[in-house]
């Protein structure tokens, strides 16, 4: 659902809502997936991101997002310098992803505290974004709302159990999507919430022995 | 938000409200936020828009490549043109100013995108100053602009990479024309015609920036986009009705965008970017960006 404030906004550092603000938001979501600033990142740029990213500051914006800067943060201009000063190893390269990829797409492989995650994200225009793949799982993650992501063993009742925990912690669910690579394999859950779920809800989910990992992501849009 | 301007216009007319009030009520319901809360976000947007106009008019900014900057001040100070010192030249200068700030990695409001961010502030703040219109009415107009942009996002696209410049400055000009028409007392139906009359003039416009940078011609496309918005407002308020319904104009903008060769969709492979001078300048300036001290 498109919001009025997606259109009149974001307030952002120029020059491009898709190549700068959208790229920054992709970086912010990926940062959330590993729970903080990644130490290493391999950033592959596809399509228009590859062809015109440099002049739009797409590299600065993606790095800035990984560093935790929001789209209206003027430090984005200096994100590559800050990255170097902090001793972070972020490498940029051009690539060609699947033919049906959105023109503004990138693949990020990031490492933090021993965790590695690979994410495909696209910038859809007007600063709106979508992560379409996380570690091989097809997902749809927009960062429009506070979001819980988790990987769990595929077993009956898992959705109900998690929904129950969130209800108990008075977190209202907006959407919930479950994807898996194969029957009986692990399931990837993306749960968008109306309000930030908070540490207590996250810890309660993390305590379930069939949940392999869980992260809560702040909203990055709107 | 609405997926059809016809639906929004019908609801506004049925309830005797403006399109902005209609859009704000639906946004409040959709997002679970109060109308006051949404209006305060729009108020912040208006403040940032005004700051960007003022910053750009100072005239000292240069883009990363050095290709653009300083032209807003030229127009603002000029008395040489047939429209100098009028609302028209003021709106042009404001559109240039915001885009010059954007190209210099300054803070702007993407409305709907950064590449088209000059049009809406130029038309609304220029008219508000000229007609002494208070902020509350400008904030309402921003809501109407948001409604129009949301419909374009749903039915067509707001991305130059998907739909060419018609999807960015074209959509921005449609939003500005519709919003200003309401701000000047036009009916919801006149708002729809203002959008259609403006966007029809921008159909097919390609996205062909030199080196792929949001600089040239983007800065000037915002000025000409704002000029076409003024034309659309003038025609709609005069009572002109455009025979093709506004939703169909938006749909066809999307269709043209989908059929547009990839060279004309922000890839710097065609249009002005691919002219001999365009290629030469892009090459020189990109080298400059790469070698400049960060």
């Amino acid at each position: 659902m498109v919001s009025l404030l997606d259109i009149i906004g974001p307030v952002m550092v120029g020059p491009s809502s898709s190549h700068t603000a959208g790229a920054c938001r992709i970086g912010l979501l990926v940062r959330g997936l590993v729970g903080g600033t990644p130490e290493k990142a391999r950033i592959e740029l596809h399509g228009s991101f590859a062809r015109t990213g440099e002049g739009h500051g797409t590299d600065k914006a993606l790095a800035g997002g990984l560093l935790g800067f929001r789209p209206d943060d003027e430090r984005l201009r200096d994100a590559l310098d800050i990255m170097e000063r902090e001793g972070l190893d972020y490498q940029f390269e051009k690539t060609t992803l699947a033919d049906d990829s959105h023109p503004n797409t990138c693949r990020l492989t990031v490492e933090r505290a021993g965790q590695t995650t690979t994410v495909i994200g696209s910038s859809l225009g007007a600063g709106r974004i979508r992560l379409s793949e996380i570690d091989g799982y097809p997902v749809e993650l927009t960062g429009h709302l506070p979001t819980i992501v988790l990987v769990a063993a595929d077993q009956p009742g898992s959705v109900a159990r998690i929904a129950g925990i969130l209800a108990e912690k008075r977190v209202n669910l907006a959407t919930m999507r479950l994807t898996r690579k194969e029957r009986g394999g692990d399931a990837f859950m993306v749960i968008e919430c109306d309000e930030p779920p908070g540490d207590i809800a996250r810890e309660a989910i993390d305590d379930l022995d069939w949940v392999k990992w869980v992260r809560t992501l702040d909203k990055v849009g709107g | 938000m609405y997926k059809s301007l016809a639906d929004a216009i019908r609801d506004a007319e049925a309830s005797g409200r403006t399109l902005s009030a209609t859009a704000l009520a639906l946004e409040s319901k959709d997002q679970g936020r109060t109308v006051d809360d949404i209006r305060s976000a729009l108020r912040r947007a208006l403040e940032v828009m005004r700051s960007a106009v003022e910053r750009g008019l100072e005239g000292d900014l240069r883009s990363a490549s050095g290709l653009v900057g300083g032209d807003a001040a030229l127009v603002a100070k000029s008395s040489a043109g047939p429209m100098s010192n009028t609302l028209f030249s003021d709106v042009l200068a404001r559109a240039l100013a915001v885009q010059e700030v954007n190209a210099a990695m300054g803070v702007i409001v993407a409305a709907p995108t950064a590449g088209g961010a000059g049009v809406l502030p130029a038309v609304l703040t220029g008219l508000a100053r000229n007609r002494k219109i208070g902020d509350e009415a400008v904030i309402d107009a921003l809501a109407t602009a948001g409604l129009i942009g949301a419909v374009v996002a749903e039915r067509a696209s707001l991305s130059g990479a998907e739909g060419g410049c018609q999807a960015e400055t074209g959509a921005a000009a449609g939003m500005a024309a519709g919003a200003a028409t309401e701000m000047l007392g036009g009916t919801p139906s006149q708002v729809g015609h203002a959008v259609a009359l403006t966007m029809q003039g921008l159909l097919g416009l390609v996205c062909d920036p030199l080196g792929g940078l949001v600089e040239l011609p983007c800065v000037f496309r915002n000025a000409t986009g704002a000029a076409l918005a003024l034309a659309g407002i003038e025609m709609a308020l005069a009572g002109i009705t455009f025979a093709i319904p506004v939703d169909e104009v938006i749909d066809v903008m999307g269709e043209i965008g989908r059929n547009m060769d990839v060279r004309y969709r922000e890839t710097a492979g065609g249009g002005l970017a691919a002219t001999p001078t365009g290629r030469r300048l892009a090459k020189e300036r990109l080298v400059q960006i790469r070698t400049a001290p960060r």
Side-chain angles (χ1 to χ4, degrees), chain A residues 9-30 45 49 56-66 69-72 76 102 104-106 108 120-131 141-143 220-222, chain B residues 110 112-114:
Chain A
V11 172
M12 56 167 279
V13 168
S16 164
S17 43
S18 52
H19 288 65
T20 319
C24 174
R25 285 175 166 172
I26 290 172
L28 279 168
L29 275 183
V30 173
L45 304 168
F49 264 12
H56 286 144
T58 301
D59 46 359
K60 295 176 186 174
L62 281 164
L66 293 176
F69 303 161
R70 302 188 72 83
D72 64 348
L76 284 182
H102 187 280
N104 298 325
T105 297
C106 54
L108 281 76
I120 296 178
S122 304
S123 183
L124 308 176
R128 292 180 303 127
I129 60 163
R130 180 178 58 222
L131 302 190
L141 212 166
T142 64
V220 300
Chain B
T113 62

Side-chain angles (χ1 to χ4, degrees), chain B residues 171-213:
Chain B
M175 288 161 58
T181 297
E182 177 179 306
M183 194 171 82
L184 296 173
T187 64
S189 157
Q190 284 178 316
V191 169
H193 288 298
V195 177
L197 284 161
T198 302
M199 286 184 69
Q200 61 77 28
L202 288 148
L203 287 177
L205 188 63
V206 300
C207 178
D208 54 352
L210 270 60
L213 307 178

